[in-house]
């Protein structure tokens, strides 16, 4: 296996396989204990060092494909992989949260997610999520992705608005997950980027992996990375910003945000990958505007569109009338 490939565990859905984490140890971390190294990588998840030590003892953490002890000292170039254990059976409560439903039948539901809403429960977000709302509305969702992510086939970031599909049963989930894996799902985003992009259209083909200096972030890299392709089309150039339509060929975490930073045109409002001086938005100017897939039961091709949210429209209006 090549160094920049990640082994996909068997008997996992496509979404679960994304949870297999991999890092190549940079020289700045050489000599650290493996439990310290992995705990820091999971800092944003709130996982304790004691829990990480239990993972190491259970074999969930490997170095160069082999289990190690918690006091193992890592070396530069070591390949560290972590397969987080399945979440404990904790009850996720239905909540009567309004949903902007674009489409719904017995198998699938498509919603227009507002900016600021988390997709599924996680540490710090045990309620108020899309999953909590779906459990109240649908009563039943697919169970392939476990108790914390019922029905969730794909995700969009908390501060990205737009279209999201969920599965009501395992048959639908398996079909939609396979379409995502085969890159046949249509996903188009509208984004506002810093700077004037001179080309009217183009393709960003650059692998994405975790940043070895800050393992909570992602970056374009050849080490421990996954293939990532984003296509872009310029819609409008406004002062020193560019309005774009972006089409995902792959669906890596933070893909559009990382790719736009990589080409020197980070998204306006992006608090992580963007610039300090930017537009008045609570999060990145990114909206999942078009979603298309083959219906799991009927075989019909479905395509949905969602208009830009008002805050995004207000930003554009302000720039156009400046």
């Amino acid at each position: 296996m090549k160094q920049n490939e990640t082994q996909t565990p068997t008997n996992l859905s496509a979404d679960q396989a994304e949870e297999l984490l991999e890092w190549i140890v940079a020289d700045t971390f050489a000599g650290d204990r493996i439990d310290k190294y992995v705990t820091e990588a999971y800092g944003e998840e709130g996982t304790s060092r004691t829990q990480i030590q239990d993972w190491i003892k259970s074999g969930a953490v490997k170095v160069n494909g082999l289990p190690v002890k918690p006091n193992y000292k890592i070396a530069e170039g070591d390949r560290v992989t972590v397969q987080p254990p399945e979440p404990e059976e904790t009850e996720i409560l239905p909540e009567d949260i309004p949903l902007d439903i674009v489409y719904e039948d017995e198998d699938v539901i498509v919603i227009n997610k507002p900016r600021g809403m988390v997709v599924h429960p996680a540490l710090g977000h045990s309620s108020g999520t899309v999953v909590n709302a779906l459990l109240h509305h649908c009563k039943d969702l697919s169970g392939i992705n476990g108790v914390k992510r019922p029905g969730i086939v794909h995700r969009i970031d908390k501060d990205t608005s737009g279209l999201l599909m969920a599965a009501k049963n395992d048959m639908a989930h398996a079909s939609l997950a396979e379409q995502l894996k085969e890159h046949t799902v249509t996903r188009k985003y509208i984004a506002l980027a810093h700077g004037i992009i001179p080309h009217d259209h183009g393709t960003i083909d650059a692998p994405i992996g975790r940043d070895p200096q800050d393992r909570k972030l992602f970056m374009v890299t050849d080490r421990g990375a996954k293939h990532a392709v984003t296509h872009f089309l310029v819609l409008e150039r406004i002062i020193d910003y560019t309005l774009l339509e972006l089409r995902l060929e792959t669906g890596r975490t933070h893909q559009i945000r990382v790719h736009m930073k990589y080409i020197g045109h980070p998204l306006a409002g992006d608090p992580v990958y963007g610039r300090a001086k930017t537009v008045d938005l609570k999060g990145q100017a990114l909206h999942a505007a078009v979603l298309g897939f083959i219906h799991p039961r009927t075989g019909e091709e479905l395509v949905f569109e969602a208009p830009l949210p008002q805050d995004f429209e207000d930003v554009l209006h302000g720039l156009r009338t400046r």
Side-chain angles (χ1 to χ4, degrees), residues 12-296:
L12 292 179
S13 70
D15 200 48
Q16 285 173 305
E18 290 293 327
E19 295 301 320
L20 179 66
L21 306 178
E22 175 182 300
W23 304 288
I24 304 298
V25 177
D27 58 354
T28 53
F29 300 103
D32 283 359
R33 283 174 52 122
I34 185 65
D35 56 352
K36 177 178 181 290
Y37 182 86
V38 176
T39 301
E40 290 178 358
Y42 257 72
E44 66 177 339
E45 303 292 339
T47 308
S48 70
R49 189 162 176 173
T50 299
Q51 186 174 350
I52 293 298
Q53 289 171 347
D54 289 340
W55 288 10
I56 295 170
K57 293 173 184 176
S58 72
V61 177
K62 291 183 172 62
V63 177
N64 302 322
L66 299 173
V68 293
K69 294 182 179 181
N71 62 355
Y72 174 84
K73 299 292 183 68
I74 56 176
E76 180 182 359
D78 274 351
R79 176 175 168 267
V80 178
T81 57
V82 179
Q83 179 64 67
E86 286 296 309
E88 295 179 2
E89 293 288 332
T90 55
E91 185 178 11
I92 304 300
L93 299 177
E95 295 180 48
D96 188 4
I97 301 170
L99 288 172
D100 182 0
I101 299 172
V102 177
Y103 174 84
E104 182 180 12
D105 62 23
E106 62 182 322
D107 298 307
V108 298
I109 182 170
V110 177
I111 68 166
N112 182 16
K113 186 188 82 68
R115 185 190 317 281
M117 191 175 193
V118 176
V119 172
H120 59 77
L123 190 71
H125 298 284
S126 60
S127 63
T129 73
V130 170
V131 165
N132 295 108
L134 286 175
L135 285 173
H136 179 272
H137 176 80
C138 301
K139 311 304 180 186
D140 193 24
L141 295 166
S142 72
I144 289 178
N145 271 342
V147 295
K148 287 188 179 290
R149 293 178 291 173
I152 299 303
V153 184
H154 68 125
R155 291 161 285 182
I156 54 179
D157 295 337
K158 172 191 172 187
D159 291 324
T160 297
S161 60
L163 295 170
L164 182 76
M165 60 183 174
K168 291 187 173 183
N169 52 64
D170 289 357
M171 179 278 294
H173 194 128
S175 173
L176 295 174
E178 182 64 21
Q179 292 180 53
L180 284 165
K181 181 180 177 181
E182 296 298 322
H183 311 310
T184 58
V185 174
T186 299
R187 287 174 289 176
K188 294 181 181 180
Y189 291 72
I190 303 298
L192 185 68
H194 283 281
I196 298 299
I197 298 177
H199 306 290
D200 290 338
H201 57 85
T203 295
I204 308 167
D205 186 347
I208 291 175
R210 289 189 180 262
D211 186 337
Q213 305 303 321
D214 187 341
R215 288 160 290 174
K216 301 171 189 176
L217 305 182
F218 293 84
M219 63 182 293
V220 170
T221 176
D222 289 326
R223 306 189 74 178
K226 295 182 179 180
H227 180 59
V229 178
T230 305
H231 306 280
F232 70 85
L233 173 68
V234 171
L235 300 177
E236 185 179 357
R237 297 177 177 93
I238 316 170
I239 309 177
D240 54 353
Y241 293 91
T242 301
L243 187 66
L244 300 159
E245 177 187 273
L246 300 121
R247 180 173 62 84
L248 288 180
E249 185 172 314
T250 56
R252 308 308 178 198
T253 302
H254 298 174
Q255 178 173 317
I256 288 174
R257 300 164 67 187
V258 171
H259 271 174
M260 294 309 298
K261 177 183 178 181
Y262 175 66
I263 66 171
H265 296 280
L267 297 187
D270 192 328
V272 177
Y273 301 101
R275 300 175 182 174
K277 189 176 182 181
T278 185
V279 298
D280 185 18
L281 268 183
K282 293 181 179 179
Q284 58 274 1
L286 183 62
H287 176 67
V290 178
L291 177 65
F293 56 89
I294 302 299
H295 191 280

